[in-house]
Amino acid sequence: MAEGENEVRWDGLCSRDSTTRETALENIRQIILRKTECLRPPYRPSDGLSNAVSLDGLNKLLAHLLMLSKRCPFEDVREKSEFILKSVQELGIRIPRPLGHGPSRFIPEKEILQVGSEDAQMHTLFADSFAALGRLDNITLVMVFHPQYLESFLKTQHYLLQMDGPLPLHYRHYIGIMAAARHQCSYLVNLHVNDFLHVGGDPKWLNGLENAPQKLQNLGELNKVLAHRPWLITKEHIEGLLKAEEHSWSLAELVHAVVLLTHYHSLASFTFGCGISPEIHCDGGHTFRPPSVSNYCFCDITNGNHSVDEMQVNSAGNVSVSDSFFEVEALMEKMRQLQECRDEEEASQEEMASRFEIEKRESMFVFSSDDEEATPARDVSRHFEDTSYGYKDFSRHGMHVPTFRVQDYCWEDHGYSLVNRLYPDVGQLIDEKFHIAYNLTYNTMAMHKDVDTSMLRRAIWNYIHCMFGIRYDDYDYGEINQLLDRSFKVYIKTVVCTPEKVTKRMYDSFWRQFKHSEKVHVNLLLIEARMQAELLYALRAITRYMT
């Protein structure tokens, strides 16, 4: 754990037993009170440096307590954490307060389920997540719009990070850091730095990838290509990792690593796509500055933490309610017309192939006005090499990449069984998650009920795969242009390919009459389709190596 937290045992707070939690809380209270003793007057001049170190350690503990007071699913822990913070404040020591307005910068806090107001079923899910991670993170609190998916997601992530598997625990978190860093996702990097240290990882590795074992350094190339240009992965990439003499990976280890890389590349997409805020106890999630008169200060603005009133302004511009209402009606009308066309005639295979190539080519020219290269910050970029390597469309500069036909290699018939054979049960967990995301529906669209949304969901999924060169022979790609307008395509491509460039303006500008829960649903489709696309390319390369 971070300095200042190593002497504190937080584990007891994850227990289902209230007596165990009470004992743990009392121990934490005693440690914090002892730390406050040396910080209270009178001070001696020689105490300057030691006081600064002590205050830093205490502040980390207080930030953790603040998180518990807001995010712990156990009411007794929330209340006692708040009590300890107030006790410290009464001693004249400044305590932290949260920055921002809830788990997401894009979604008003009042629309997100508040911890403590959940029903019994959701409480069990929250408690399970808290017991596994020692926190209820902002990703969970945004995904909770869709409990069925969240349960599958948490179960899969828990298995990947904490259950029996080919890789040691600290390797798993380090690979998570490497994957998230490729998209400059400091939110996920910070979480897994803490987790890496908690399971006994060597702090020196965090100084840069060059300080990690050669075996992990060798994974850097696969991480890079998988994150940005997965269609370039070949069996030679796989062979290089499996035949590196004393630094070799086993097939089982490599499959575990590939699943982790794809999981965290996709989770970075969700983090940026839904505007996930920093965790309360992490950098950017709290401040020790007192609130100003208007309840926020300039430092909040520069961190993207604006006032509630400002957050409510529609950054997509002055769009009237009637305009966005007609957008929904127009989309539903297109869905009806496409269904009628499907019933009347079916395009030939040649026509379907032509429409795929057209859509694939057009997807290259979908980019946002904010599309510019960003230089990653050193604290994130040190976890990977070749910082200039990013997403590039396939056929730029005349380079041609063959179409990946799902009929030749697909998840259901090939990828699933390979993962399950080399990393038992994980194929099943991932498969369930894919199916839940793809089939999830409440039969609603904005203000309309009893709507069959399968056509729209399939268009979103297949558009993402089309951007990666993946083609379904039985799908008419002409439907994509009918159902997905330009602003939506810009959002999809940015979230999936360059998530670090997503803005609130992009989030606001698509589906303006749809609920936030529906936009989160879109993000679930995006991250699962992206993960499956990456897995298909990596697993096909492994299969080719094995044969």
Side-chain angles (χ1 to χ4, degrees):
M1 296 292 282
E3 191 179 346
E5 295 186 69
N6 11 16
E7 64 199 274
V8 176
R9 299 290 303 174
W10 302 103
D11 304 7
L13 302 182
C14 301
S15 172
R16 310 270 181 169
D17 177 54
S18 59
T19 307
T20 304
R21 295 198 300 269
E22 188 178 352
T23 304
L25 281 163
E26 182 54 29
N27 288 339
I28 291 166
R29 189 182 75 85
Q30 294 290 347
I31 289 169
I32 286 178
L33 287 177
R34 280 200 303 274
K35 283 185 172 291
T36 61
E37 288 292 329
C38 63
L39 294 171
R40 283 150 62 191
Y43 299 122
R44 296 192 305 273
S46 59
D47 289 342
L49 183 58
S50 67
N51 276 346
V53 172
S54 297
L55 183 60
D56 183 56
L58 177 62
N59 283 349
K60 286 186 170 77
L61 296 178
L62 296 179
H64 203 108
L65 272 181
L66 177 67
M67 179 272 288
L68 292 171
S69 73
K70 304 289 185 186
R71 295 283 194 264
C72 182
F74 303 118
E75 187 177 8
D76 56 336
V77 175
R78 290 198 303 274
E79 290 177 351
K80 188 65 182 280
S81 298
E82 192 170 342
F83 172 78
I84 296 171
L85 286 169
K86 284 180 177 171
S87 303
V88 170
Q89 188 177 36
E90 286 167 3
L91 295 172
I93 292 172
R94 189 172 285 177
I95 63 170
R97 62 184 176 85
L99 271 178
H101 300 280
S104 166
R105 292 180 295 110
F106 297 171
I107 306 170
E109 188 172 14
K110 66 179 184 295
E111 295 199 28
I112 295 175
L113 180 66
Q114 302 296 302
V115 177
S117 62
E118 68 274 11
D119 60 24
Q121 184 181 2
M122 193 56 63
H123 178 77
T124 301
L125 197 56
F126 279 178
D128 287 344
S129 178
F130 190 81
L133 298 169
R135 61 178 180 266
L136 199 55
D137 59 39
N138 289 338
I139 285 176
T140 299
L141 292 173
V142 172
M143 281 186 182
V144 85
F145 278 118
H146 306 286
Q148 185 191 5
Y149 174 86
L150 175 61
E151 186 171 7
S152 175
F153 171 85
L154 291 174
K155 191 163 55 171
T156 305
Q157 184 170 262
H158 177 65
Y159 199 99
L160 291 175
L161 292 176
Q162 293 172 289
M163 301 295 282
D164 288 344
L167 293 173
L169 298 182
H170 63 301
Y171 264 54
R172 303 180 196 193
H173 290 294
Y174 197 82
I175 291 168
I177 292 167
M178 288 173 63
R182 280 279 12 148
H183 284 307
Q184 306 163 41
C185 187
S186 55
Y187 171 87
L188 288 173
V189 169
N190 288 338
L191 284 184
H192 286 280
V193 162
N194 289 335
D195 292 339
F196 172 78
L197 295 171
H198 186 63
V199 297
D202 185 345
K204 293 193 194 74
W205 297 10
L206 300 174
N207 292 330
L209 185 58
E210 67 277 7
N211 296 291
Q214 187 62 45
K215 183 171 176 174
L216 282 167
Q217 291 184 45
N218 292 349
L219 193 66
E221 179 71 14
L222 185 66
N223 178 31
K224 176 179 84 172
V225 180
L226 201 53
H228 305 297
R229 307 177 202 174
W231 48 88
L232 297 180
I233 292 173
T234 65
K235 68 177 183 180
E236 282 71 33
H237 286 106
I238 306 305
E239 187 172 21
L241 290 165
L242 297 175
K243 294 186 174 179
E245 297 175 348
E246 72 268 29
H247 306 301
S248 292
W249 292 74
S250 71
L251 264 174
E253 287 175 333
L254 185 57
V255 166
H256 193 170
V258 161
V259 172
L260 283 167
L261 289 172
T262 58
H263 176 80
Y264 282 104
H265 293 156
S266 301
L267 202 52
S269 284
F270 185 87
T271 300
F272 287 113
C274 291
I276 300 296
S277 302
E279 294 298 327
I280 290 174
H281 62 299
C282 293
D283 289 346
H286 63 274
T287 180
F288 283 84
R289 292 187 179 90
S292 61
V293 177
S294 61
N295 204 36
Y296 71 102
C297 60
F298 183 74
C299 60
D300 292 354
I301 299 172
T302 56
N303 283 324
N305 300 305
H306 313 311
S307 71
V308 175
D309 292 339
E310 191 175 343
M311 292 281 281
Q312 302 304 327
V313 174
N314 181 1
S315 61
N318 298 320
V319 180
S320 71
V321 173
S322 60
D323 284 351
S324 51
F325 172 80
F326 285 123
E327 285 176 2
V328 179
E329 298 302 310
L331 178 56
M332 291 192 61
E333 180 57 32
K334 283 177 184 173
M335 288 167 66
R336 278 191 288 270
Q337 289 173 359
L338 284 170
Q339 189 58 54
E340 287 170 9
C341 290
R342 273 184 185 177
D343 296 339
E344 289 171 12
E345 59 176 312
E346 192 172 311
S348 67
Q349 279 299 313
E350 292 77 14
E351 180 62 23
M352 301 263 262
S354 171
R355 288 174 186 175
F356 170 78
E357 292 301 328
I358 290 168
E359 190 58 52
K360 185 171 75 168
R361 194 163 55 248
E362 284 186 359
S363 76
M364 293 174 217
F365 302 105
V366 173
F367 55 89
S368 75
S369 56
D370 308 328
D371 203 6
E372 55 192 41
E373 293 301 321
T375 305
R378 167 64 189 157
D379 63 333
V380 171
S381 66
R382 65 178 176 225
H383 300 298
F384 64 90
E385 298 166 322
D386 196 357
T387 56
S388 63
Y389 191 95
Y391 171 80
K392 290 285 185 294
D393 297 302
F394 327 156
S395 302
R396 288 225 180 136
H397 315 301
M399 181 178 67
H400 176 69
V401 174
T403 293
F404 184 123
R405 294 177 71 252
V406 168
Q407 276 65 23
D408 299 332
Y409 193 97
C410 68
W411 166 256
E412 290 81 5
D413 296 337
H414 307 94
Y416 169 84
S417 56
L418 178 62
V419 172
N420 246 15
R421 188 163 84 247
L422 294 168
Y423 188 9
D425 299 328
V426 168
Q428 178 69 35
L429 289 168
I430 295 171
D431 190 59
E432 283 175 14
K433 188 158 62 77
F434 285 156
H435 278 284
I436 289 170
Y438 188 86
N439 296 311
L440 187 67
T441 183
Y442 305 95
N443 299 113
T444 61
M445 272 181 63
M447 69 294 291
H448 296 280
K449 296 181 179 177
D450 302 317
V451 181
D452 180 358
T453 61
S454 56
M455 180 186 290
L456 188 55
R457 284 180 278 120
R458 191 178 185 195
I460 294 168
W461 186 279
N462 287 0
Y463 179 59
I464 294 155
H465 279 193
C466 177
M467 291 191 303
F468 286 98
I470 298 170
R471 181 190 165 208
Y472 296 83
D473 285 354
D474 62 347
Y475 183 68
D476 180 357
Y477 286 85
E479 292 187 4
I480 289 174
N481 267 343
Q482 297 290 313
L483 298 174
L484 312 183
D485 65 23
R486 177 171 171 74
S487 62
F488 193 12
K489 282 184 170 183
V490 166
Y491 179 78
I492 290 173
K493 185 172 181 181
T494 309
V495 170
V496 172
C497 300
T498 52
E500 60 277 10
K501 296 179 182 177
V502 174
T503 64
K504 187 172 187 295
R505 182 179 295 278
M506 289 181 198
Y507 176 89
D508 287 338
S509 68
F510 84 92
W511 283 11
R512 286 168 288 203
Q513 274 291 297
F514 284 71
K515 297 187 282 288
H516 288 290
S517 61
E518 291 171 310
K519 293 193 173 192
V520 173
H521 187 178
V522 165
N523 272 274
L524 301 183
L525 282 168
L526 303 191
I527 66 172
E528 295 303 334
R530 176 186 179 174
M531 182 174 180
Q532 190 177 100
E534 286 190 23
L535 279 175
L536 283 173
Y537 279 110
L539 296 173
R540 184 181 67 171
I542 291 172
T543 300
R544 285 176 172 174
Y545 167 81
M546 292 169 68
T547 53

